[in-house]
Amino acid sequence: MTDFKQVADRLIRAIEDWPEDGVTFRDITPLLAHPEGLAATVKALVDAARALGPIDVVAGVEARGFLLAPLIAEALGTGLVPVRKAGKLPAARITEAYALEYAEAVIEIHADAVTEGARVLIVDDVLATGGTLAAAVRLFERAGAEVAGAVVLIELPALGGRDALAGVPLTALLEY
């Protein structure tokens, strides 16, 4: 299998000024559409997850975290919990507001999504300011779970998102 970084650098495209001026969007869809790219991505994320010790459930953050989390959960033999945007879940929910690098949002999980003490791995595609992942951490802590760590495909270190996750083990496969 090709080295993950080599294939990722070749397949991830940068789109300037999207979704608004001054933002560089990292489009991972070409990476995921390429069989070798997808396999290398999943392997690298699963390896990072296994380094955290036992995981009881994988949480995928909407929307692009949904693309990666089920593949990781299946490889680890765990269940999957969706972390959704507000208004998307039908049962009792725990909600958390947060700021993005270019907007504000609310995420939620079902109140019964995890059992007390469950070790949760949170998965998203990009760590920018850290608002989304920090909100997800708070959601799972309020639900009684232990956040074992987080894995992301891309980190944008200039935006300081890692600081918002102080104390949470974090692995980013790439930095831009």
Side-chain angles (χ1 to χ4, degrees), residues 1-73:
M1 181 182 300
T2 302
D3 174 74
F4 168 74
K5 183 160 176 23
Q6 290 174 343
V7 71
D9 285 344
R10 187 175 78 244
L11 295 172
I12 293 174
R13 63 180 156 212
I15 300 173
E16 300 297 329
D17 298 321
W18 197 87
E20 65 180 45
D21 288 347
V23 175
T24 301
F25 180 80
R26 301 292 174 176
D27 184 7
I28 64 170
T29 59
L31 176 69
L32 301 179
H34 190 280
E36 186 179 22
L38 179 60
T41 300
V42 172
K43 181 184 181 320
L45 289 167
V46 168
D47 289 348
R50 286 190 172 127
L52 295 168
I55 302 294
D56 298 313
V57 68
V58 175
V61 178
E62 189 169 353
R64 289 171 293 169
F66 283 3
L67 301 173
L68 303 168
L71 301 170
I72 297 167

Side-chain angles (χ1 to χ4, degrees), residues 32-123:
L32 301 179
H34 190 280
E36 186 179 22
L38 179 60
T41 300
V42 172
K43 181 184 181 320
L45 289 167
V46 168
D47 289 348
R50 286 190 172 127
L52 295 168
I55 302 294
D56 298 313
V57 68
V58 175
V61 178
E62 189 169 353
R64 289 171 293 169
F66 283 3
L67 301 173
L68 303 168
L71 301 170
I72 297 167
E74 192 280 329
L76 296 176
T78 72
L80 173 72
V81 172
V83 178
R84 300 295 315 262
K85 294 177 182 174
K88 303 288 185 178
L89 296 174
R93 300 166 304 281
I94 302 169
T95 64
E96 190 72 37
Y98 67 101
L100 295 167
E101 67 271 22
Y102 53 84
E104 291 183 1
V106 175
I107 57 173
E108 59 190 19
I109 60 172
H110 276 131
D112 62 355
V114 293
T115 58
E116 183 78 26
R119 288 179 46 84
V120 177
L121 172 71
I122 302 173
V123 178

Side-chain angles (χ1 to χ4, degrees), residues 117-132:
R119 288 179 46 84
V120 177
L121 172 71
I122 302 173
V123 178
D124 206 354
D125 66 327
V126 175
L127 173 64
T129 64
T132 307

